Amino acid sequence: MGLVALLALGAALALAAAVTAIVRDARHPARATVGWALARGLATRPSEAGMDASEGTVPCADGTALPMWTVTGGSPDGPALLLLHGWRRSRSDSLRRLPWLLPHVRFACVLDMRGHGDAPAGPSTLGAADVADACAAVRTRPDVPWIVAGHSLGASVAIRAAAALHASGTQIVGALLMCPYPDVRVPLAGRLSNMGMPAFPAVSLAARAVRALCGRETPIEDALRVIGNGSIPTVWITCIEDAIAPPDAVRALHARACAHGIQATLLVDSGADHDSIGTGHPSWTADAVAALGLKATRAEATTP
């Protein structure tokens, strides 16, 4: 009996250590700053990518100022775009997803979310506080219509922010969601899978710990209901294989969106993975642009 108890204690301690490590890693991701971009041969600022932009900050409700670039677009009559990066990424990574979008929007805002890039605030809240921050970014220009877009964590924040903004009277004309997931349990399980570790029961415990520390996400069903009531077109994009936001999970989200009466277009990128989806000029660009009702490109640009 003593040996059984000792083994049980050892298993419990190992599980506690694993959960603690998962939660710490999730809340304190490695920051994708200038060094990260340089190591990958990526632009560290818009001018290096041939984009005209201004530097500013997002005035958040708690007084935090998140760094944000406002990048000039190519459609003076088009909507504005808010593009949110994924976990362990930054606004520098968002620049990779702007080339096919910029010609169709008035301007694009890309920011560093809490715990990421050059953001002074941390740790990451994994979406809990990021929705309010995204809304604050959009409200810096309440005079224009907006498309809210994101990748991975940013996509999950984007759908919730679009709902919150619409509910408060902001004109939201579309949502672009690249590799979204319904809640934090999905990417946590994916990361464990990538490390060759079983998801149960560590993911459930880690998700509870994250929510206790960061706060709960807005239930995805609540966000979808608001989006559906607002007749806001949405585009859902997935890969062929993706452990972080599995295609089946994205398809299920798309089906739930359709069930709420949302104009929801599902696109599958057969040539991209989770990290590269939406970068450069994807093959599905025309379909996404049409689904969002974006106008044809104009030659002249507009200053934000």
Side-chain angles (χ1 to χ4, degrees):
M1 191 68 179
L3 179 59
V4 172
L6 187 62
L7 290 173
L9 177 61
L13 290 174
L15 178 60
V19 169
T20 299
I22 293 167
V23 173
R24 178 172 179 77
D25 182 55
R27 298 184 70 223
H28 299 273
R31 296 214 177 204
T33 52
V34 171
W36 176 89
L38 288 174
R40 290 158 178 79
L42 303 177
T44 64
R45 55 193 314 103
S47 60
E48 295 176 9
M51 301 172 186
D52 181 32
S54 59
E55 177 86 46
T57 58
V58 179
C60 302
D62 63 356
T64 297
L66 299 177
M68 180 173 73
W69 290 318
T70 301
V71 185
T72 301
S75 180
D77 298 325
L81 170 72
L82 176 67
L83 179 57
L84 302 169
H85 62 76
W87 182 76
R88 268 192 179 168
R89 294 297 180 261
S90 65
R91 56 182 175 161
S92 293
D93 186 60
S94 293
L95 293 179
R96 299 195 297 153
R97 295 182 170 84
L98 283 182
W100 68 275
L101 284 163
L102 276 183
H104 305 282
V105 299
R106 189 175 309 204
F107 59 86
C109 293
V110 292
L111 59 89
D112 283 333
M113 294 195 290
R114 293 171 187 255
H116 295 82
D118 295 314
S124 170
T125 68
L126 300 171
D130 300 309
V131 172
D133 295 341
C135 291
V138 167
R139 289 177 180 134
T140 60
R141 286 295 303 270
D143 55 313
V144 298
W146 285 83
I147 289 175
V148 185
H151 166 241
S152 193
L153 169 62
S156 297
V157 172
I159 191 64
R160 291 168 168 87
L165 287 162
H166 171 74
S168 67
T170 302
Q171 188 180 1
I172 302 299
V173 296
L176 174 65
L177 312 164
M178 294 169 274
C179 298
Y181 48 78
D183 61 63
V184 72
R185 291 173 297 176
V186 174
L188 288 177
R191 290 196 60 77
L192 284 176
S193 175
N194 284 342
M195 296 187 308
M197 296 175 61
F200 181 82
V203 165
S204 179
L205 295 172
R208 291 183 184 181
V210 165
R211 286 166 177 158
L213 292 167
C214 302
R216 296 188 66 87
E217 309 142 304
T218 302
I220 191 65
E221 293 297 331
D222 290 354
L224 293 175
R225 190 176 301 110
V226 173
I227 296 292
N229 291 339
S231 300
I232 298 168
T234 60
V235 176
W236 307 72
I237 306 170
T238 186
C239 311
I240 296 296
E241 295 183 10
D242 187 343
I244 303 301
D248 286 347
V250 179
R251 291 178 186 278
L253 268 178
H254 172 259
R256 289 158 72 180
C258 291
H260 283 282
I262 296 174
Q263 180 184 330
T265 300
L266 177 66
L267 301 174
V268 180
D269 193 325
S270 59
D273 58 19
H274 183 86
D275 187 60
S276 66
I277 197 164
T279 61
H281 293 276
S283 60
W284 40 261
T285 294
D287 292 330
V289 167
L292 292 170
L294 294 173
K295 296 179 181 180
T297 305
R298 291 191 179 185
E300 62 269 29
T302 183
T303 301

